[in-house]
């Protein structure tokens, strides 16, 4: 078995003064790994034992960056199974995806000075195509299984939003839309159910994405919440047959664009009066009253109010406990910020596959975190929505005349 005492004298003799602490730390970590592996194997190095459970199979090198400088560690390998020291944290899926995207850009000859600086900072001075292929294959399999998984049960609420990314295509840089779909299941939990990459937001683009969700098992959708993307409303009606709720936050920005900045606060306060109403019966009346008040001063705002009334107030038809979650795409805002943060590091993606790889990995991690959180939607009102009580339609016959 491993000795209990550290050979500090030997380390001091071999290491210089400047590297002494780092050498000691490397030795300590190496001895910890050796002791850990011996416990897993059931025998020490070169020891014959009837309690042996496994055998060593060499080492793999790993650099650990610390305040003492980079430490070169040799992680033991096993013939059966694998070993990873507990004091090292394996890279997250999205971090592996980021490395794979940068490597792919480097090998494909489309790297920029920014990507080159990032590669150097991450210590990726030597990149082999076999390493890239192996890393990308592992990520693609996990992300693909997540994005193509079958969907079961009812999904009453669906949120959609588009984020625009830059991709190199045919020697030029184009803008592509990355559509992220989030849905609420029958138990009130949010799940990321889809990612779609396309060149535009025409109705055919949205219809193809929604059909792919239906093919995987998405059903029971009552309302779809999104911004006013071109062609989306028609695709929702044709593919899902659900109500469309226009994002109230984005709509408010569009509305205030028709008002001078000095009067923006007053106009916003007037518009919010319709949103403060307790039910769907009183909200439209207040909406039209506010529209009549604002129309003489700002005709374009009045026209917008007339055209978008049903779409912006659609959420008022659903349970009051759910309305704060249904009137906008706020549930996607934080997710989109994380997507953009990771995408900005890459800058220009070398291919569509690299977009799906990186963004899909980010979505996979976010979805795992959501499953550990509390329910997003209350189940009591959700049960009433999915299983409405039957209406008593007993026919009352008039009394017989004597």
């Amino acid at each position: 078995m491993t000795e209990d005492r550290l050979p500090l004298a030997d380390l001091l003799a071999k290491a210089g003064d400047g590297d002494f602490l780092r050498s000691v730390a490397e030795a300590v970590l190496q001895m910890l790994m050796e002791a850990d592996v011996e416990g897993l194997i059931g025998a020490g190095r070169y020891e014959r034992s009837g309690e042996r459970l496994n055998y060593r199979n060499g080492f793999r090198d790993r650099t650990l960056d610390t305040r003492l400088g980079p430490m070169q560690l040799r992680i033991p390998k096993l013939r059966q199974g694998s070993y990873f020291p507990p004091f090292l944290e394996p890279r997250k899926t999205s971090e592996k995806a980021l490395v794979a995207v940068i490597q792919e850009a480097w090998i494909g000859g489309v790297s920029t000075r920014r990507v080159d600086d990032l590669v150097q900072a991450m210590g990726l001075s030597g990149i082999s195509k076999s390493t890239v292929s192996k890393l990308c294959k592992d990520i693609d399999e996990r992300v693909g299984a997540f994005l193509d998984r079958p969907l079961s049960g009812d999904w009453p609420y669906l949120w959609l939003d588009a984020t625009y990314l830059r991709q190199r295509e045919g020697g030029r840089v184009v803008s592509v839309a990355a559509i992220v779909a989030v849905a609420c299941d029958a138990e009130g939990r949010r799940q990321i159910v889809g990612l779609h990459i396309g060149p535009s937001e025409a109705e055919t683009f949205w219809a193809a994405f929604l059909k792919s969700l239906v093919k995987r098992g998405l059903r029971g959708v009552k309302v779809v919440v999104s911004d006013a993307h071109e062609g989306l409303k028609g695709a929702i009606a044709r593919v899902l047959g659900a109500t469309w709720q226009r994002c109230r936050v984005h709509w408010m920005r569009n509305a205030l664009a028709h008002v001078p900045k000095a009067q923006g606060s007053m106009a916003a306060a007037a518009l919010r009066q319709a949103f403060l109403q307790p039910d769907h019966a009183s909200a439209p009346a207040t909406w039209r009253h506010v529209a009549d008040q604002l129309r003489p001063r700002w005709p374009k705002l009045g026209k917008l109010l007339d055209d978008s009334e049903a779409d912006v107030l659609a959420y008022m038809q659903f349970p009051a406990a759910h309305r704060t979650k249904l009137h906008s795409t706020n549930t996607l805002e934080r997710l989109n910020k994380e997507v953009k943060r990771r995408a900005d590091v890459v800058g220009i993606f070398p291919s569509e596959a690299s977009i799906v790889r990186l963004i899909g990995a980010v979505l996979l991690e976010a979805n795992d975190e959501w499953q550990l959180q509390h329910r997003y939607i209350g189940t009591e009102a959700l049960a009433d929505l999915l299983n409405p009580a039957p209406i008593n339609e007993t026919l009352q016959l008039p009394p017989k005349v004597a």
Side-chain angles (χ1 to χ4, degrees):
M1 291 289 182
T2 305
E3 297 180 1
D4 294 334
R5 297 183 180 180
L6 299 178
L8 296 181
D10 295 341
L11 287 173
L12 183 58
K14 294 179 180 179
D17 294 338
D19 296 334
F20 173 68
L21 290 178
R22 186 168 70 249
S23 299
V24 170
E26 285 180 354
V28 171
L29 293 178
Q30 199 67 46
M31 295 180 69
L32 288 174
M33 289 189 290
E34 293 291 340
D36 199 10
V37 168
E38 288 177 3
L40 293 175
I41 294 177
R45 184 183 292 277
Y46 309 119
E47 180 184 358
R48 296 181 180 274
S49 173
E51 300 178 355
R52 177 182 290 273
L53 303 175
N54 205 339
Y55 291 88
R56 295 172 178 270
N57 191 28
F59 297 88
R60 66 179 184 274
D61 296 328
R62 173 74 182 268
T63 301
L64 175 63
D65 293 327
T66 69
R67 287 182 292 179
L68 297 175
M71 297 183 185
Q72 304 301 325
L73 302 180
R74 302 180 70 209
I75 301 177
K77 296 169 62 177
L78 304 177
R79 287 188 184 179
Q80 298 178 354
S82 60
Y83 167 74
F84 195 85
F87 55 83
L88 291 179
E89 181 182 0
R91 286 181 176 138
K92 291 184 177 180
T93 304
S94 62
E95 292 172 348
K96 290 182 180 179
L98 178 58
V99 174
V101 170
I102 296 173
Q103 290 174 337
E104 187 181 86
W106 182 283
I107 293 174
V110 297
S111 59
T112 62
R113 183 169 58 183
R114 181 179 180 187
V115 175
D116 182 46
D117 293 340
L118 181 59
V119 169
Q120 298 295 333
M122 296 180 69
L124 301 177
S125 55
I127 304 173
S128 66
K129 291 187 178 182
S130 61
T131 301
V132 175
S133 177
K134 182 178 179 181
L135 182 58
C136 292
K137 181 180 179 181
D138 175 64
I139 298 168
D140 290 344
E141 289 176 354
R142 295 181 59 188
V143 170
F146 168 67
L147 295 178
D148 296 332
R149 71 192 189 278
L151 305 174
S152 59
D154 290 331
W155 303 81
Y157 301 142
L158 178 67
W159 294 266
L160 300 174
D161 202 7
T163 299
Y164 290 91
L165 307 173
R166 293 187 296 170
Q167 174 191 328
R168 192 175 298 276
E169 183 179 288
R172 61 192 182 95
V173 177
V174 298
S175 178
V176 296
I179 308 298
V180 178
V182 172
C184 174
D185 59 22
E187 297 181 356
R189 296 190 180 280
R190 287 181 298 173
Q191 291 195 45
I192 299 169
V193 296
L195 171 66
H196 193 53
I197 311 298
S200 68
E201 294 187 46
E203 183 174 343
T204 54
F205 172 74
W206 286 103
F209 179 44
L210 295 179
K211 287 179 180 178
S212 68
L213 296 179
V214 172
K215 186 177 181 179
R216 288 169 46 209
L218 185 74
R219 60 181 177 85
V221 179
K222 304 293 184 182
V223 60
V224 180
V225 187
S226 74
D227 193 12
H229 299 292
E230 181 183 355
L232 176 59
K233 187 175 181 180
I236 292 172
R238 185 158 54 91
V239 178
L240 299 178
T243 302
W244 177 51
Q245 166 63 41
R246 183 172 178 177
C247 177
R248 203 176 78 183
V249 175
H250 290 90
W251 177 87
M252 183 67 79
R253 294 172 188 165
N254 296 336
L256 295 180
H258 300 301
V259 179
K261 190 173 181 180
Q263 285 80 39
S265 299
M266 182 272 291
L271 294 172
R272 291 193 187 98
Q273 294 303 311
F275 306 141
L276 299 177
Q277 302 307 308
D279 50 51
H280 188 259
S282 55
T286 304
W287 179 282
R288 288 188 288 271
H289 176 69
V290 172
D292 292 339
Q293 287 184 322
L294 300 180
R295 186 178 292 105
R297 299 184 63 181
W298 302 298
K300 291 184 179 180
L301 176 59
K303 186 177 185 306
L304 176 64
L305 286 165
D306 294 338
D307 295 340
S308 58
E309 174 186 339
D311 300 331
V312 180
L313 296 180
Y315 74 101
M316 298 292 290
Q317 306 173 45
F318 294 88
H322 301 170
R323 291 174 188 168
T324 57
K325 307 292 179 62
L326 296 179
H327 65 63
S328 70
T329 58
N330 283 346
T331 186
L332 280 165
E333 289 300 317
R334 184 176 180 181
L335 186 61
N336 280 338
K337 288 181 180 179
E338 185 64 14
V339 167
K340 293 293 291 183
R341 185 180 73 84
R342 304 292 182 93
D344 288 343
V345 174
V346 179
I348 301 174
F349 285 86
S351 64
E352 181 177 317
S354 64
I355 297 178
V356 175
R357 182 178 304 125
L358 177 57
I359 305 307
V362 173
L363 299 181
L364 191 156
E365 289 180 4
N367 191 75
D368 289 344
E369 292 178 1
W370 284 357
Q371 304 317 301
L372 300 177
Q373 299 174 0
H374 297 293
R375 288 183 174 87
Y376 190 66
I377 295 290
T379 55
E380 184 175 350
L382 195 59
D384 294 338
L385 177 69
L386 297 175
N387 302 296
I391 302 175
N392 187 2
E393 297 181 349
T394 304
L395 180 63
Q396 300 292 333
L397 298 176
K400 292 183 179 180
V401 180

